[in-house]
């Protein structure tokens, strides 16, 4: 479904991604794990078209999207839920969800999608008239994911969904991610909580200073001494 080949991305003179290559099959959850500054968010932003690679290519469903504008990438079905939620704080929960559906014109379908989001996230139904900025961190994360789903993604890019959340809420968010995947959406998950990410992923890649240093099944990575020592508190 997604094929990333030889990405080299720079911020000025800083070489952020150094020849990154990986793939994701339809229906998979693939985790990208690594410490802060490893290049995880830069990878997602390059796939989304927000950053450009100097080399290589990105293929989605067999088509090269390396030069495709971000809005067209959204229309093709790749949706990113950004790090730090990035909800529209002055808008209500309902308005945030409507913003997620901006590429669709069928009003009836949008209303049905919104009802589905309220069924998946009952807390958002209770808060639907509240502005996004008044929600708790966990509620904002649910809203960010629901807003992404309103675009009806084929591939969902999740950037640090557990950041800043209490452990109980982290478990809840990861259950939601598994449910989204079971309903047919492929997921590329960037996450510092390696234990949680690998516990729900099919496969994983470990990034270090802009390079992929390890790739394996999620189960194998959970038992890999390198991963245990560096990322699982071993």
């Amino acid at each position: 479904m997604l094929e990333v080949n030889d990405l080299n991305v720079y911020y000025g003179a800083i070489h952020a991604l150094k020849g990154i290559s990986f793939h994701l099959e339809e229906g998979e959850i693939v985790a990208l794990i690594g410490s802060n500054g490893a290049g995880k968010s830069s990878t997602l932003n390059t796939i989304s078209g927000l950053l450009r690679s100097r080399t290589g290519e990105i293929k989605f469903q067999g088509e090269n999207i390396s030069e495709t504008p971000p809005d067209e990438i959204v229309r093709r079905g790749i949706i990113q839920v950004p790090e730090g939620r990035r909800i529209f704080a002055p808008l209500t929960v309902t308005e945030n969800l409507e913003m997620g559906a901006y590429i669709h014109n069928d009003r009836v379908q949008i209303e049905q999608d919104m009802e589905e989001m309220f069924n998946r996230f009952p807390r958002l139904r209770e808060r639907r008239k509240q502005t996004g900025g008044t929600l708790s961190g966990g509620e904002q994360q649910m809203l960010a994911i629901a807003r992404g789903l309103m675009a009806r993604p084929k591939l969902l890019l999740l950037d640090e969904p557990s950041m800043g959340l209490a452990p109980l809420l982290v478990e809840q968010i990861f259950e939601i991610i598994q449910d989204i995947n079971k309903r047919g959406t492929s997921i590329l998950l960037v996450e510092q909580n390696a234990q949680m990410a690998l516990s729900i992923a099919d496969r994983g890649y470990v990034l270090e200073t802009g390079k992929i240093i390890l790739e394996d099944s999620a189960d194998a990575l959970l038992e890999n001494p390198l991963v245990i020592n560096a990322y699982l508190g071993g």
Side-chain angles (χ1 to χ4, degrees):
M1 187 181 211
L2 180 73
E3 200 178 327
V4 173
N5 291 313
D6 191 31
L7 296 189
N8 281 278
V9 173
Y10 291 78
Y11 295 97
I14 297 166
H15 195 175
L17 298 182
K18 302 167 185 171
I20 280 183
S21 299
F22 66 91
H23 70 280
L24 178 146
E25 302 294 337
E26 192 162 350
E28 279 191 312
I29 299 178
V30 170
L32 298 181
I33 63 171
S35 55
N36 259 339
K40 304 186 303 296
S41 294
S42 297
T43 302
L44 294 194
N45 288 336
T46 308
I47 294 166
S48 293
L50 301 171
L51 294 173
R52 293 287 178 217
S53 176
R54 291 191 190 175
T55 62
E57 64 177 9
I58 301 162
K59 282 186 173 177
F60 180 61
Q61 296 184 316
E63 288 188 32
N64 189 340
I65 59 165
S66 307
E67 302 295 324
T68 304
D71 62 313
E72 180 58 31
I73 287 173
V74 167
R75 289 177 200 281
R76 290 191 187 204
I78 299 179
I79 303 298
Q80 183 169 342
V81 178
E83 182 182 349
R85 304 0 140 208
R86 300 278 187 90
I87 55 149
F88 302 109
L91 302 185
T92 65
V93 165
T94 299
E95 288 166 341
N96 266 275
L97 294 177
E98 285 174 341
M99 290 294 283
Y102 82 97
I103 59 171
H104 300 299
N105 299 315
D106 184 339
R107 196 68 226 172
V108 174
Q109 183 65 58
I110 291 170
E111 292 295 336
Q112 287 173 356
D113 289 349
M114 193 169 300
E115 186 58 28
E116 187 187 332
M117 289 311 115
F118 287 144
N119 288 336
R120 280 194 191 189
F121 303 93
R123 191 78 61 84
L124 297 184
R125 187 190 296 278
E126 294 167 20
R127 306 276 192 268
R128 64 186 180 276
K129 292 181 180 174
Q130 278 184 229
T131 56
T134 64
L135 302 180
S136 70
E139 290 163 352
Q140 287 189 12
Q141 187 62 65
M142 289 176 194
L143 178 56
I145 293 171
R147 181 184 62 186
L149 292 175
M150 286 294 290
R152 291 179 231 146
K154 297 171 186 169
L155 172 61
L156 194 61
L157 312 179
L158 292 171
D159 196 352
E160 302 285 6
S162 79
M163 184 181 279
L165 300 184
L168 205 61
L169 273 172
V170 170
E171 283 188 27
Q172 201 177 339
I173 292 294
F174 275 86
E175 282 169 14
I176 288 164
I177 294 168
Q178 281 182 291
D179 180 60
I180 292 165
N181 179 247
K182 281 173 186 161
R183 293 183 192 217
T185 304
S186 306
I187 293 172
L188 182 59
L189 172 63
V190 154
E191 182 56 65
Q192 268 193 291
N193 187 333
Q195 181 80 48
M196 286 299 288
L198 293 172
S199 73
I200 67 164
D202 297 293
R203 293 184 303 108
Y205 295 86
V206 179
L207 271 77
E208 204 171 271
T209 58
K211 293 178 183 174
I212 289 174
I213 60 161
L214 267 180
E215 59 175 288
D216 213 328
S217 71
D219 290 343
L221 287 175
L222 278 169
E223 294 177 6
N224 185 304
L226 255 174
V227 176
I228 291 168
N229 289 330
Y231 305 108
L232 305 179

